[in-house]
């Protein structure tokens, strides 16, 4: 008789800053994926980012303000403390050792999922974790992520769909608004808005 394994969600990102669409995704993951725990990982040295990120201390503090009050959510700082480039594979390997009984569920957007073959050790990632792809309802067939479209997809790959509400918020828009002195308060959790204002983040010098 098969025994259901507890599921641990893994959600990483720059969170520069964390915004309301991130919070909506977390709520959706908790509601739809049957998670015992959801770990949120602010990225450290993001190898794929062309721009410089805000300091890890600021992004960690904002992530804690945005997410830690939610049930079953843990903000994990290990990627910020790790030397060298941040690779999701390293984090998944560590979690697999720490929680051998858990089923790991890696949460990502459809755009990230389409670029999975560019990730470090992507085949091993697909062997370690279920991939939960966040997609918004109402997308046409041509704009939805389809796992079979990935070249050389490993046969053991497992994908699930995470349905999100329609939201167009982006961290880029928030940083731009802050730099221009425009209102962004409705786009982020109130505590994050207060933090950005307190430390004058994203303002033009």
């Amino acid at each position: 008789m098969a025994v259901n394994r507890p599921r641990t969600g893994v959600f990483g990102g720059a969170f520069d800053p964390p915004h309301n669409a991130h919070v909506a995704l977390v709520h959706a993951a908790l509601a739809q994926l049957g998670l015992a725990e959801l770990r949120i990982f602010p990225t450290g040295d993001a190898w794929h980012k062309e721009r410089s990120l805000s300091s890890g201390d600021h992004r960690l503090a904002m992530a804690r303000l945005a997410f830690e009050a939610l049930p079953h959510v843990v903000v994990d700082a290990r990627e910020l403390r790790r030397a060298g480039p941040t690779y999701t594979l390293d984090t998944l390997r560590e979690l697999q050792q720490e929680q051998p009984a858990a089923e790991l569920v890696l949460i990502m957007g459809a755009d990230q999922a389409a670029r999975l073959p560019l990730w470090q050790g992507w085949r091993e990632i697909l062997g370690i974790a279920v991939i939960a792809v966040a997609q918004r309802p109402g997308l046409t067939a041509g704009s939805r992520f389809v796992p079979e479209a990935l070249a050389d997809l490993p046969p053991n790959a497992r994908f699930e769909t995470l349905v999100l509400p329609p939201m167009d918020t982006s961290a880029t828009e928030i940083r731009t608004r802050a730099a221009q002195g425009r209102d962004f308060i409705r786009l982020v959790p109130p505590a994050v808005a207060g933090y950005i204002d307190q430390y004058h983040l994203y303002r033009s010098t």
Side-chain angles (χ1 to χ4, degrees):
M1 181 177 177
V3 177
N4 290 332
R5 300 165 64 192
R7 306 188 103 197
T8 296
V10 178
F11 178 35
F15 302 118
D16 195 17
H19 50 68
N20 290 340
H22 290 137
V23 176
L25 185 150
V26 168
H27 279 288
L30 292 170
Q32 297 174 37
L33 299 178
L35 303 177
E37 177 183 78
L38 173 55
R39 286 187 173 261
I40 292 177
F41 296 89
T43 191
D45 181 1
W47 61 271
H48 59 291
K49 292 285 188 182
E50 295 181 359
R51 67 176 184 87
S52 297
L53 300 179
S54 300
S55 79
D57 288 341
H58 281 317
R59 292 185 292 110
L60 177 62
M62 289 189 289
R64 286 173 170 162
L65 290 171
F67 304 118
E68 278 199 334
L70 300 176
H72 311 296
V73 173
V74 176
V75 176
D76 192 315
R78 77 179 70 200
E79 291 190 355
L80 292 167
R81 309 301 180 227
R82 186 184 297 149
T86 295
Y87 294 117
T88 299
L89 177 58
D90 295 331
T91 299
L92 291 174
R93 284 172 172 168
E94 292 174 4
L95 288 175
Q96 191 177 45
Q97 289 185 339
E98 295 165 12
Q99 303 183 20
E103 181 176 52
L104 302 181
V105 182
L106 178 60
I107 300 164
M108 65 180 66
D111 55 340
Q112 294 172 301
R115 294 194 297 268
L116 260 175
L118 301 177
W119 289 35
Q120 177 85 3
W122 76 287
R123 294 175 181 278
E124 185 176 347
I125 288 173
L126 291 173
I128 295 175
V130 177
I131 309 300
V133 181
Q135 305 204 88
R136 289 177 172 79
L139 294 177
T140 62
S143 59
R144 292 183 65 84
F145 168 74
V146 179
E148 291 74 19
L150 296 178
D152 301 321
L153 185 68
N156 61 341
R158 298 161 294 164
F159 290 87
E160 297 179 8
T161 297
L162 177 61
V163 180
L164 293 183
M167 297 184 74
D168 295 328
T169 307
S170 76
T172 300
E173 177 186 4
I174 294 163
R175 291 193 302 270
T176 300
R177 284 175 171 267
Q180 296 173 347
R182 297 162 56 204
D183 178 47
F184 61 87
I185 292 176
R186 290 170 293 179
L187 304 178
V188 298
V192 172
Y195 188 95
I196 292 171
D197 184 61
Q198 178 182 355
Y199 290 97
H200 311 292
L201 301 184
Y202 314 123
R203 294 187 184 177
S204 301
T205 54

